[in-house]
């Protein structure tokens, strides 16, 4: 072609397609970062903008932001140390007794054996079972399979109102070590053992709800009337 010949022209669409095919060749992309590197770069860029904006809005600039972050981390660490590892809260309490029926004396013996070895969680569990089984044996609670510690404490508290608060506290201790992931100590077991001993010495008074004397509050027995145990 001579210098006076017009330049070669290609229509727009064929030229664009030819360029796309050419640029799609691997040789043009060998030095490009991988998708992971691009994502990482985008994340760091976003993080840098975030900290930049936070530093601008925080008194003291970047140093103030660092101090705030350290304080927050210290508070989280203190809460973690105080409350322990988070555990999933059970949607419903499991039953109090989950094995073959045993007497209150057997549960007490098992509790004392665990306590002697310093196994306070197991000792608390067995002592609470001893409390409930003892109340069942004395007919202050109906024998009912599937009863939970909270249910037992609530029912026994109505029968023995003088001990209602301690019974509820004992049920909470039982639930904490059994389902809440908490650890009991010697003090927890000692309180529960003292409650068990006090309940053993409590003498129920038989009352009759059908016949009562308003002036004295004393009751009289009648044939076929229902009786309910209450603490003196």
């Amino acid at each position: 072609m001579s210098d006076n010949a017009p330049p070669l022209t290609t229509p727009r669409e064929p030229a664009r397609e030819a360029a796309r095919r050419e640029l799609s060749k691997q040789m043009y992309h060998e030095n490009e970062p991988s998708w992971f590197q691009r994502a990482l770069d985008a994340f760091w860029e976003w993080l840098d903008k975030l900290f930049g904006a936070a530093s601008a809005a925080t008194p003291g600039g970047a140093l103030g932001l660092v101090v705030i972050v350290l304080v927050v981390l210290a508070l989280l660490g203190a809460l973690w140390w105080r409350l322990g590892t988070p555990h999933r809260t059970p949607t419903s309490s499991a039953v109090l007794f989950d094995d073959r029926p045993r007497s209150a004396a057997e549960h007490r013996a098992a509790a004392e054996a665990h306590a002697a070895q310093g196994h306070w969680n197991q000792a608390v569990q067995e002592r609470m079972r001893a409390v409930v089984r003892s109340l069942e044996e004395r007919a202050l609670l109906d024998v009912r399979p599937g009863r939970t510690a909270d249910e037992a404490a609530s029912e026994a508290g109505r029968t023995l109102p003088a001990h209602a608060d301690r019974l509820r506290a004992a049920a909470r201790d039982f639930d904490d070590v059994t389902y809440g992931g908490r650890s009991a100590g010697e003090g927890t077991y000692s309180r529960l053992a003292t409650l068990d001993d006090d309940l053993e010495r409590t003498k129920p008074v038989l009352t009759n709800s059908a016949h009562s004397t308003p002036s004295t509050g004393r009751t009289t027995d009648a044939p076929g009337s229902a009786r309910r145990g209450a603490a003196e």
Side-chain angles (χ1 to χ4, degrees):
M1 299 177 58
S2 65
D3 294 337
N4 296 327
L8 181 64
T9 59
T10 304
R12 177 179 300 176
E13 289 303 322
R16 179 182 301 171
E17 183 63 23
R20 187 189 63 79
R21 286 196 303 269
E22 180 65 22
L23 294 176
S24 65
K25 294 179 179 179
Q26 183 63 29
M27 58 182 294
Y28 295 107
H29 304 279
E30 290 178 350
N31 298 321
E32 288 185 356
S34 64
W35 66 268
F36 176 77
Q37 185 63 46
R38 292 196 299 271
L40 194 61
D41 291 342
F43 169 76
W44 287 118
E45 182 179 356
W46 170 81
L47 197 63
D48 182 64
K49 290 181 180 178
L50 178 65
F51 274 95
S55 298
T58 303
L63 180 59
L65 179 62
V66 170
V67 171
I68 291 175
V69 171
L70 291 177
V71 170
V72 171
L73 291 177
L75 290 175
L76 291 176
L79 288 174
W80 189 283
W81 177 82
R82 178 66 181 84
L83 301 178
T85 304
H87 289 79
R88 183 185 297 275
T89 302
T91 56
S92 60
S93 297
V95 296
L96 184 63
F97 300 100
D98 56 2
D99 54 5
R100 67 173 181 84
R102 289 185 290 171
S103 67
E106 289 178 304
H107 284 296
R108 287 192 188 99
E112 289 297 326
H114 285 304
Q117 300 178 45
H119 300 161
W120 301 115
N121 281 15
Q122 295 88 334
V124 166
Q125 291 169 330
E126 289 298 329
R127 198 71 185 217
M128 183 62 188
R129 290 170 180 141
V131 168
V132 176
R133 185 67 78 204
S134 176
L135 294 174
E136 291 176 347
E137 292 172 352
R138 297 169 61 195
L140 299 180
L141 281 180
D142 294 333
V143 178
R144 178 160 56 85
R147 175 185 277 126
T148 66
D150 290 334
E151 291 170 344
S154 178
E155 295 169 16
R158 290 192 294 269
T159 303
L160 304 168
H163 300 285
D165 292 340
R166 296 169 69 193
L167 283 164
R168 285 193 293 269
R172 285 195 298 270
D173 290 336
F174 178 89
D175 288 341
D176 284 345
V177 302
T178 305
Y179 318 114
R182 300 296 180 87
S183 296
E186 183 177 1
T188 305
Y189 177 73
S190 179
R191 289 193 300 270
L192 188 49
T194 301
L195 172 63
D196 187 19
D197 293 339
D198 291 346
L199 292 175
E200 280 292 291
R201 291 191 294 268
T202 299
K203 297 179 180 180
V205 175
L206 299 179
T207 61
N208 188 330
S209 59
H211 300 277
S212 61
T213 304
S215 59
T216 63
R218 299 180 62 183
T219 61
T220 59
D221 293 337
S225 63
R227 296 184 178 185
R228 184 181 180 184
E232 286 186 327

